[in-house]
Amino acid sequence: MAAIPLDILDRIRDLERQVRALMGSANTRPRMDEIQGGRVVIGDGGSLTVRTPEGKDLAYIGRVLPDREGGSYQQGFVVRRDDGTVALSVWTGDPKDLPVQPIRMWDAKGNVIFAEDARNFGLAKPYIPYPLPTPENTGRWESTSSTSWTTLYNGNAIVQHPRLYCLIAATTGGEVRLLVDDRQVGPTSKSGTLEFNEYIGAAYDSHITFKVQARASGANSTVWVSPRALYGGPS
């Protein structure tokens, strides 16, 4: 057998190593869970969806319905809880009359708890009333000398929060309490100002009536009362 030069054998071994390396790289899948130094572009009406292991949509970015006038796509954003309920959305359900997409947040029961005013600026929800200024002169406050509960103030509201912060200024001549739809909420103040933070006990978005009541501590007593603040608050 003719002698084979050693350099040829070395070259054959190098070729074998290169072939094995190429075969290994061909069977190796590139990493698909990481992007470095670049970006991902989804165009032409495409979308990105993230799903839970159970197959429920968790987040969605892309084309949403309805389309805008003329058939152009509306691009939006929806985030859901893992139980499928909507938590956050950026889209409009009426592209003609409300072309600007409002941002909305939803509670687990499907109520809109936050929304921007897409027609102008600021908030659409929650409703945040400004407290009404009241007289500093206690002699100009509503009062009663009756020893029976007497309604001194009556007002209406729309429930936006689960709790109620109440501050009602009063003199020391009697007791003060607050009723929500004729049901007492919070304690009874027996020595002046009433202040508390309690669950309001009414459904979200329901219309309620507030009544501020007072009664004198005795036959020769008078109590003067002035509501200062009624605010909604979180759990």
Side-chain angles (χ1 to χ4, degrees), residues 62-183:
R63 181 185 179 185
V64 292
L65 297 176
D67 289 340
R68 296 190 179 277
E69 284 192 290
S72 61
Y73 295 160
Q74 178 189 175
Q75 306 294 315
F77 176 51
V78 179
V79 176
R80 296 178 181 271
R81 299 174 183 85
D82 60 5
D83 63 1
T85 58
V86 178
L88 175 68
S89 68
V90 182
W91 75 291
T92 175
D94 189 351
K96 180 178 180 180
D97 292 334
L98 189 66
V100 177
Q101 296 173 313
I103 301 171
R104 294 188 178 100
M105 293 180 63
W106 312 70
D107 69 10
K109 294 184 178 181
N111 299 306
V112 177
I113 58 175
F114 173 91
E116 66 173 319
D117 186 342
R119 297 188 186 278
N120 198 350
F121 72 94
L123 289 176
K125 269 192 170 187
Y127 313 127
I128 304 178
Y130 297 105
L132 298 176
T134 61
E136 283 294 305
N137 184 353
T138 58
R140 298 179 60 188
W141 295 357
E142 292 295 323
S143 64
T144 182
S145 298
S146 172
T147 56
S148 299
W149 287 112
T150 304
T151 299
L152 301 181
Y153 296 90
N154 190 315
N156 303 98
I158 303 174
V159 175
Q160 296 288 292
H161 305 87
R163 295 182 76 93
L164 171 69
Y165 169 73
C166 170
L167 176 62
I168 300 173
T171 60
T172 58
E175 299 177 315
V176 181
R177 69 180 183 180
L178 178 73
L179 303 185
V180 176
D181 287 341
D182 294 320
R183 174 183 53 84

Side-chain angles (χ1 to χ4, degrees), residues 2 4 7 9 13 22-23 32 52 68 122 168 186 203 215 225:
I4 300 176
D7 60 342
L9 293 176
R13 293 189 188 98
L22 287 172
M23 291 179 64
M32 302 295 290
T52 66
R68 296 190 179 277
I168 300 173
R215 65 182 177 185
V225 176

